[in-house]
Amino acid sequence: MADKEATVYIVDVGRSMGGRNQGRQQSDLEWAMLYVWDKITSTVATDRKTATLGVIGLRTIEEESFANITVFQDIKQTLLPDLQRLRSLIKVSKTNDGDAISAIVLAIEAIAKYCKKLKYKRKIVLVTNGQGSLDTDDVSEIILKIKEDNIELVVLGVDFDDADYGFKEEDKDSQKTENEAILKSLADSCDGVFGTIAQAIEELGIPRLKMTRPVNSYKDQLTLGDPEQYDTAMSIDVERFPRTMIRRPASASQYVHRADLSNRRASVSSSTTILPDVDAPEGESSAPNTNGLAAVRNARSYQVDDDTAPGGKRDVTRDELAKGYEYGRTAVHISESDESITNLDTKAALEVVGFIPWNSYDRYMSMSTSNVIIAQKTNSKAIIALSSLIHALFELESFAIARLVPKANKTPVLVLLAPSIEVDYECLLDVQIPFAEDVRSYRFAPLDRIVTVSGKILKEHRNLPNEVLSSAISDYVDSLDLSAFGKDDDGNPMEYMQMTDTFSSVLHRIDQAVRWRAVHPTEPIPPPYDILTKFSKIPDDLEASSKSKLMKLIEAADVKKVPPKLRSRKRQRDRVAPLSGLDVSALLATSRPTGKISPDNPIPEFRQMLETTEDPNGIVDAAGQLISIIEKHIKDSFGDRNYDRVIAEMTALREEMIEMEEPGLWNDWLRKLKDKLRGDGLGAGRNELWWRIRKAKLGLVVKNEMEVSDIGDEEARQQMTMKAAKSSQNGPLA
């Protein structure tokens, strides 16, 4: 469980905060609020009731203000509506009167009243430009109170001088210089933080790591042997905690506009969107959303195929369904009684089953995040025993293999136990490894040689890199070495891309966008922070130094430019333009007569005719010729001798009609073909051909395949059946 927090932000909204200084396009208040909003929204994003904050306005002229100090929000958990209200309140005022030290006193009182004597992390953040007067009376008592209540004081100033950061404002007002000195002395006396807001805003781009309080996943004994049967068995009281965890981006929630729904509910497929009944009595439904949105709840229904039911499907309840598991492409049913047999009756245990040397373990065998196993903190005997086991594993350069059951009746898993010895602590690190049944071995062809069918091994082949190419790629990879490309503070070489400096771009970019949108609902989202994109491209200096190696690699690999694509006469097809500019296909096409398609070579000539036709009617003519050839091949076929040829020709016709966006030609002919086969118009006993057409999925072109088609899925399914046809001995029918 995370610590309880109480933070008060004091925001200076005086008239002087409306100015634009140091060449900035934003006012001082807008610029400073980048830091404040980021901190507040980060607290809101935790969604913790114990993470509370308050906001105090300094140099205000509100009616409820006291000495030009206004409490914009008392200390409490802040939610999205509170952010929207604060955004409307925090604006530049018309006065410069107001005392920052008095605002700090008010913040101390608010924290003391809210936290009482309970354990809280107390913090006050003052953001100001240092203008106005300061009342320094009783400062010593304020410092004592801050220390007594263990409050952290943070003072951030707009254009404050900071030697460590390297900023100094020129021609500074004497009043501001004096106020800076007073606030710096106050912060230093309270062991607080004093700095310029520029540094704080710059550091916002560094992602904040989420620290969580660990919860043990196992608290029992680590055993070697059976302690219940043998006195020589080892038994150590241990605890297991997570060492690394996967943090995932914030998930999205589904909402709908009430005005978009009829009678407050809508249905999609088998999932129904149901809105809370805003007219229901109080206590029976959630309150209506003020922004016209409502949360989505899904109601699921189940259907099974039933030819006797309307539409061919019948609704069933969940209780009527049986549980099944996917096995390949088959759903395998298993009853509850049979499933109970597969559940093992286990008890919590961590049992060492063997040892392996370090060099026999492959890193790819790790299947989970890592965990830490330590001895129980109050058990000195267990601490010594576990330390002995850790040192024994380390000295023998071995890992332990253990069977882990975290809780009773849980599925057992195998874990690898690795010793870890640091200056401050010793522990075992564990990671899950597979059982023998979980491992599948695959054999792939070698990359450095080719084995022929006769068993001959070839070291030189057109598909294998030669020595020149291998040397060139090796030199290029070496030139991109990042292990010593970076520089430390003293200019010495160091690793360029360290683990501690790399962050998940997806995770932190989504967090940045969510925080920004919560405060700025209409403004465009700013670009990602530089630290998130720093390692997404090669450094300029490294790219320049490796360019010569790259050019040698291009020469050795004989890399050629890919020809650009040109739009052909077909509406959706691209063809490659030759680099030489001489289109041989075009020359051959213009010299070839555009007459009839030969029955001996119909598919290539059909496609060539479509490529060279200038008249839209040529598409109809080419399709008609191929259709005539297909029907002739069907009629002249002795049994099923020509069926494979017919299927290939029909496939080409269907593909080309889709390419030309003319599905109607195919659909109309397919209907006629079905009637001819059913009526023996192309010879008796041709029903097997229709079965092959169905098997090749040469059905009607439906709207899902092409928008210009007006054929639905149900019509296409009915078209492919031939129930009214006579039965044939040559093949099955639908």
Side-chain angles (χ1 to χ4, degrees), residues 19 25 89 99 130 155 165 222 272 335 350 382 401 430 559 569 611-612 640 657 660 672 718:
Q25 299 297 321
L89 294 175
D99 178 21
V155 178
Y165 181 66
L222 168 63
T272 304
S335 62
L350 180 57
I401 306 296
D430 83 75
V559 178
R569 282 184 294 274
E611 287 282 357
T612 58
D640 60 354
M657 292 302 99
M660 302 300 295
K672 297 177 182 178
Q718 293 294 336

Side-chain angles (χ1 to χ4, degrees), residues 596-629:
K596 301 294 182 180
I597 297 176
S598 172
D600 299 329
N601 192 29
I603 297 178
E605 293 186 9
F606 169 66
R607 286 176 171 159
Q608 289 177 6
M609 189 171 183
L610 292 178
E611 287 282 357
T612 58
T613 182
E614 298 287 346
D615 187 359
N617 294 329
I619 299 175
V620 179
D621 180 36
Q625 290 189 46
L626 183 58
I627 288 172
S628 299
I629 293 173

